[in-house]
Amino acid sequence: MSVLVCSDLDRTLIYSAAALALDDGRPDEAMPRLLCVELYNAAPLSYMTETAAKGLEALAEVTTFVPTTTRTPEQYARVHLLEKPASYAICANGGRILVDGVEDPDWSALVAARIAETGAALDEVREHMVGISGEFVLKRREASGLFAYAVVNRSALPPDWIEDLTGWCAERGWRTSLQGRKVYCLPSGLTKAAAAAEIALRTGSDRMLAAGDSLLDMELLEAADAAIRPAHGELHDTGWTSPSTTVTATRGITAGEEITEWFLGQAAHTP
């Protein structure tokens, strides 16, 4: 049986220094060794434990491993998970499929056509985000011409700001997600699950495993035959679960290690 593994990256497999959560009372000498897997402006940005990195290499040998991220292809290119890069990657929350690092134009065109048929245009959403911004919004960005996001000072967010934005977006066929300091606004039809289904067809996979921590990962986890989420992030904060979803016992970067071990165990027991 061919196994497809689709995993979110940030705060699922890889972690910034702020998200490590190594505050469980262990002395420094008992902490896991960390491997830097991403540099930004020549400075370390994202990490895995060395154990998780070795597990991921082993996983890629026995499954079709697909990094599955809301990052743009350009942001994803900074991440070095494996010695030999994965043959497939899902970027822009399913809006882009990369094959050996190159964007698949047919998939991009199909996604663009689907989005155009439903919901508000990106320009309308962008203008609304500009109109409701204050000093708490540090940056505003567009991603791959598909969706918008803002980097915010969470401690300064006005009460109900996220809730009001979520309601406004929902009325126009869009949805929101708060991940760390980023607030995403995406068309409802833009999903990681749809891209994962496409790759499953192309690879002839019989079973799909998935992992993720945010509301944008929910469809992916529901579509998988078995899934896992960390004990942190949006899904954890909302208490979301499903009969086929496991929750890690740990949080932070050690949850990333636990997720990799779970994938390996599932792959080993697949007939």
Side-chain angles (χ1 to χ4, degrees):
M1 181 176 286
S2 175
V3 179
L4 179 69
V5 176
C6 295
S7 180
D8 176 51
L9 297 182
D10 295 279
R11 296 190 60 166
T12 298
L13 286 184
I14 68 175
Y15 292 79
S16 67
L20 295 178
L22 292 172
D23 54 356
D24 54 6
R26 284 180 293 175
D28 288 343
E29 59 268 23
M31 292 295 178
R33 281 165 47 112
L34 304 184
L35 175 68
C36 178
V37 294
E38 180 185 16
L39 297 174
Y40 182 62
N41 290 334
L45 184 61
S46 299
Y47 304 85
M48 300 177 72
T49 69
E50 284 196 344
T51 298
K54 291 176 182 177
L56 203 60
E57 291 285 354
L59 184 70
E61 291 290 328
V62 296
T63 70
T64 299
F65 171 68
V66 181
T68 305
T69 179
T70 304
R71 288 174 175 239
T72 65
E74 295 77 15
Q75 292 168 334
Y76 165 71
R78 300 195 305 253
V79 181
H80 301 282
L81 294 175
L82 302 166
E83 289 189 15
K84 179 184 177 182
S87 297
Y88 288 96
I90 295 170
C91 296
N93 211 66
R96 300 287 182 263
I97 289 178
L98 305 185
V99 183
D100 293 326
V102 178
E103 178 184 330
D104 182 322
D106 292 337
W107 177 256
S108 297
L110 178 61
V111 168
R114 287 176 177 172
I115 292 174
E117 293 175 354
T118 58
L122 175 58
D123 286 348
E124 181 182 352
V125 176
R126 182 184 61 245
E127 290 173 7
H128 180 72
M129 292 184 74
V130 170
I132 64 173
S133 294
E135 292 184 357
F136 54 89
V137 176
L138 308 178
K139 299 176 184 176
R140 289 187 301 272
R141 295 285 188 269
E142 291 181 16
S144 298
L146 295 171
F147 60 90
Y149 66 93
V151 180
V152 300
N153 178 354
R154 289 189 61 162
S155 64
L157 278 176
D160 301 327
W161 188 83
I162 294 291
E163 183 178 348
D164 291 344
L165 176 61
T166 299
W168 185 91
C169 284
E171 292 173 357
R172 290 158 179 82
W174 284 56
R175 56 182 173 162
T176 62
S177 174
L178 176 61
Q179 301 180 37
R181 299 191 305 140
K182 292 181 179 179
V183 180
Y184 291 91
C185 295
L186 303 94
S188 296
L190 187 66
T191 69
K192 295 176 179 180
E198 174 67 16
I199 294 176
L201 284 174
R202 296 187 188 188
T203 58
S205 298
D206 305 298
R207 187 169 189 243
M208 184 169 78
L209 308 174
D213 72 297
S214 81
L215 293 174
L216 299 180
D217 297 309
M218 187 163 53
E219 295 97 339
L220 179 67
L221 303 190
E222 290 176 333
D225 295 288
I228 186 169
R229 69 163 178 83
H232 61 248
E234 273 190 313
L235 293 177
H236 189 71
D237 292 343
T238 60
W240 181 88
T241 188
S242 76
S244 59
T245 301
T246 297
V247 181
T248 64
T250 56
R251 54 190 288 273
I253 197 168
T254 53
E257 185 174 297
E258 191 177 338
I259 287 167
T260 304
E261 292 173 352
W262 182 88
F263 279 143
L264 280 168
Q266 289 288 316
H269 289 92
T270 297

